[in-house]
Amino acid sequence: MTSTFHSIETAKRSLFAQTTALSTTGHNVANANTEGYSRQKVNMQASIPMEPFAFLHSTAPGQLGTGVEFDSITRVREKFLDDQYRNENTNFGSWSIQRDTLEKLEAIVNEPSKTGFRTVMDNFYKSWSDLSKNPEDVTARRIVKETTLALTDAMNQISRQLDSLSQDLDSNIAVKGNEIQGYLGNIANLNSAIVKVESLGDNANDLRDQRDLMADKLSKIMNITVTDTPQGYQVQMNGQELVTGGAVQVTVDSAFLNNAYTAGTLTNGEVHGMIRSRDTLVSDYRKQMDDLANTLANGDIDITIPAGSVLPENNSLGLTGAARTLTSDLKVTVKGLNGLHQLGYSMDGTNNGGLPFFTAAGGGTAITAGNISLNAEILADPNKIATSLRTTTASGTETVIKGNNTLANLIANLKDTPMKSADGLSSATIGAQFSAIVGQLGVQSQEAARQTSNSEFLVQQVDTRRQSVSGVSLDEEMGNMIKFQHAYSASARFMTTFDQLLDKLINSTGMVGR
């Protein structure tokens, strides 16, 4: 039997449902530009009719409906796209950091350039060529000293900049560790809050959006896997648990991240890019510059000392007595510019061999790009720059021929002379070795830029697909708003109509004849 007030209840349910739908639409519109927000929808269904199937059934035909009700408010989200986005985002994070590092390395090397290291090196060799034209010229000697200082300063500066870049990366790793710890803590707290809310039967849509946003941001920093469990998100890094339910399982700091990289657990993301940049890219170019400096100073050089040259006593070639005076060209291997410089004579008034031209600043033993410097004695007195390979003997006294330029010519020609690196792995001119460094840097930088561009495109593509599903469309929401508004108005009119019918029934029925 249908209740007299049945239709009033139907209208009331409709008003409640349409009001909820309008409120949800307003919530979507308000958050159209909120980062990480997923649009929400009200899931409506016909309420249980008056006479469901049972043993007792009225003779009235059909089932009379009782209106509408909503059973949930859910967010529109697709987990597959979330997982795909995070996978691509972590690739982008790693490559973007490596690209930025290589761009900074290119700025440090600064080639090709009129003020770069190659120009300084060319000026160094040119000053020796000018000195060979007049070995006794004080000005030419001072120019050699100054171009040598410029050369060592350029190497020192590159080394300092590489050290600074490495330190910056190291500091950023620590900063990222704190950022990761914050995200993990937020995810754990949101897990607890979501479990509490949903234990009451509600959907914690906005809290879930915040949690997904934290996971998205975390995915750019490190490679993670997110699994939705009854206790909340379980976050792992290659099997290592980071968050389980409401608890953070690890303390993330610089040591933790470095150990994870070494163990092969940290395989992608910004932190991976930072550690790889520091330990592989920057470290490799520092080593190459150190090798270049050491090769210039001490690398093996095959040269030919012309006939007529007279070597100093106690020379590195072991020639003594009459053998010091070469009767024919002598092909020998010397240890870099230092070894060659020690075979000649300076203008210091003695017959002693030259000093080592380069030394390690600070008393170090191995010469590197960071400590290579002009010998302090030569710096104080340019007359100690060796240029001559000839002496003359009169009345039993051997005297250096100061105007001889044999050694100066040999050093000037080192520009085109291959030098074997101290580790013996390569043999090329110093210019060619530096060109190899620049060429390698250019190729690596180009590859990092390509990988970054590709991964960024994939991230944007997946995010566009994700936004097409989860994003708020203001046009669509405006259409829904009008739809729900009309439904509300019609429900209100329906209630008014039945109110008038009941008024007629209650106040007018049976009044005839009174």
Side-chain angles (χ1 to χ4, degrees), residues 16 37 111 180 213 254 294 306-307 362 377 484 486 502:
F16 285 171
Y37 179 79
E111 291 290 345
I180 290 169
L213 180 60
S254 182
N294 198 23
E377 293 185 42
F484 298 138
H486 284 315
L502 290 173

Side-chain angles (χ1 to χ4, degrees), residues 118-131 144 147 151 296 337 408 410-417 419 429-431:
R118 179 179 291 281
T119 300
V120 174
M121 188 166 51
D122 288 343
N123 290 338
F124 170 75
Y125 285 121
K126 183 177 182 298
S127 68
W128 275 99
S129 178
D130 293 340
L131 179 61
V144 168
T147 57
L151 178 67
L296 177 64
L337 198 148
L410 289 175
I411 294 177
N413 291 334
L414 291 181
K415 179 180 180 180
D416 302 315
T417 304
M419 295 185 180
T429 65
I430 292 295

Side-chain angles (χ1 to χ4, degrees), residues 118-385:
R118 179 179 291 281
T119 300
V120 174
M121 188 166 51
D122 288 343
N123 290 338
F124 170 75
Y125 285 121
K126 183 177 182 298
S127 68
W128 275 99
S129 178
D130 293 340
L131 179 61
S132 69
K133 297 173 185 176
N134 187 1
E136 297 181 84
D137 184 16
V138 175
T139 300
R141 287 178 171 272
R142 290 186 180 274
I143 291 175
V144 168
K145 182 190 79 170
E146 294 301 325
T147 57
T148 304
L149 289 176
L151 178 67
T152 56
D153 285 346
M155 287 189 172
N156 297 160
Q157 176 66 9
I158 291 175
S159 181
R160 284 194 297 270
Q161 288 176 318
L162 291 175
D163 289 341
S164 178
L165 179 55
S166 182
Q167 291 167 6
D168 287 344
L169 289 167
D170 203 46
S171 298
N172 287 337
I173 291 168
V175 171
K176 285 297 179 182
N178 293 332
E179 189 176 347
I180 290 169
Q181 193 70 41
Y183 286 143
L184 295 178
N186 287 337
I187 291 174
N189 293 335
L190 287 167
N191 278 344
S192 299
I194 290 169
V195 169
K196 289 179 182 178
V197 171
E198 295 188 346
S199 66
L200 302 175
D202 297 323
N203 291 325
N205 295 320
D206 294 324
L207 294 179
R208 282 182 172 269
D209 283 343
Q210 293 178 32
R211 187 175 63 179
D212 280 327
L213 180 60
M214 294 295 106
D216 289 347
K217 290 182 178 295
L218 185 60
S219 70
K220 188 176 182 181
I221 304 175
M222 63 194 303
N223 53 292
I224 59 170
T225 302
V226 178
T227 306
D228 196 358
T229 69
Q231 291 75 39
Y233 275 178
Q234 182 186 54
V235 182
Q236 295 180 321
M237 179 177 65
N238 268 359
Q240 181 175 8
E241 290 190 6
L242 305 178
V243 174
T244 301
V248 179
Q249 303 296 324
V250 295
T251 299
V252 180
D253 55 14
S254 182
F256 172 86
L257 294 171
N258 280 291
N259 291 336
Y261 178 84
T262 303
T265 308
L266 179 63
T267 58
N268 235 326
E270 289 180 337
V271 178
H272 172 268
M274 290 176 184
I275 297 177
R276 185 176 187 278
S277 294
R278 182 196 64 189
D279 294 349
T280 301
L281 299 178
V282 177
S283 178
D284 178 54
Y285 285 106
R286 184 193 292 111
K287 181 181 182 302
Q288 290 190 63
M289 287 303 300
D290 288 345
D291 289 345
L292 186 71
N294 198 23
T295 299
L296 177 64
N298 300 313
D300 289 345
I301 313 172
D302 294 329
I303 62 167
T304 300
I305 302 176
S309 299
V310 181
L311 301 179
E313 291 284 358
N314 301 320
N315 58 78
S316 60
L317 302 180
L319 300 178
T320 59
R324 291 171 48 221
T325 303
L326 304 183
T327 57
S328 61
D329 292 350
L330 177 65
K331 293 183 178 181
V332 295
T333 299
V334 297
K335 293 293 183 180
L337 198 148
N338 278 357
L340 184 56
H341 190 262
Q342 290 176 277
L343 292 180
Y345 303 96
S346 65
M347 292 178 59
D348 63 355
T350 70
N351 296 338
N352 298 329
L355 299 167
F357 195 74
F358 294 111
T359 58
T365 54
I367 291 179
T368 65
N371 65 21
I372 187 172
S373 61
L374 177 62
N375 191 307
E377 293 185 42
I378 297 176
L379 177 63
D381 183 8
N383 284 326
K384 292 188 176 182
I385 296 175

Side-chain angles (χ1 to χ4, degrees), residues 293-503:
N294 198 23
T295 299
L296 177 64
N298 300 313
D300 289 345
I301 313 172
D302 294 329
I303 62 167
T304 300
I305 302 176
S309 299
V310 181
L311 301 179
E313 291 284 358
N314 301 320
N315 58 78
S316 60
L317 302 180
L319 300 178
T320 59
R324 291 171 48 221
T325 303
L326 304 183
T327 57
S328 61
D329 292 350
L330 177 65
K331 293 183 178 181
V332 295
T333 299
V334 297
K335 293 293 183 180
L337 198 148
N338 278 357
L340 184 56
H341 190 262
Q342 290 176 277
L343 292 180
Y345 303 96
S346 65
M347 292 178 59
D348 63 355
T350 70
N351 296 338
N352 298 329
L355 299 167
F357 195 74
F358 294 111
T359 58
T365 54
I367 291 179
T368 65
N371 65 21
I372 187 172
S373 61
L374 177 62
N375 191 307
E377 293 185 42
I378 297 176
L379 177 63
D381 183 8
N383 284 326
K384 292 188 176 182
I385 296 175
T387 54
S388 174
L389 273 175
R390 296 288 181 93
T391 62
T392 182
T393 302
S395 302
T397 302
E398 185 178 11
T399 306
V400 174
I401 300 177
K402 297 179 179 180
N404 179 259
N405 66 352
T406 305
L407 182 63
N409 275 328
L410 289 175
I411 294 177
N413 291 334
L414 291 181
K415 179 180 180 180
D416 302 315
T417 304
M419 295 185 180
K420 185 175 292 186
S421 61
D423 57 15
L425 297 178
S426 61
S427 180
T429 65
I430 292 295
Q433 292 182 41
F434 183 70
S435 294
I437 295 174
V438 175
Q440 177 187 341
L441 178 57
V443 172
Q444 287 182 330
S445 183
Q446 186 179 38
E447 174 64 10
R450 184 186 69 83
Q451 291 281 13
T452 303
S453 178
N454 289 346
S455 57
E456 184 178 19
F457 173 76
L458 290 173
V459 169
Q460 292 174 348
Q461 188 180 50
V462 175
D463 193 46
T464 299
R465 291 172 58 197
R466 194 166 65 157
Q467 288 300 318
S468 70
V469 174
S470 302
V472 175
S473 168
L474 292 178
D475 291 339
E476 182 181 353
E477 297 302 326
M478 287 297 294
N480 288 338
M481 191 181 301
I482 294 171
K483 178 176 68 175
F484 298 138
Q485 179 188 12
H486 284 315
Y488 185 93
S489 298
S491 297
R493 181 60 186 166
F494 175 66
M495 179 175 282
T496 301
T497 299
F498 259 87
D499 178 60
Q500 293 172 354
L501 292 175
L502 290 173
D503 178 63

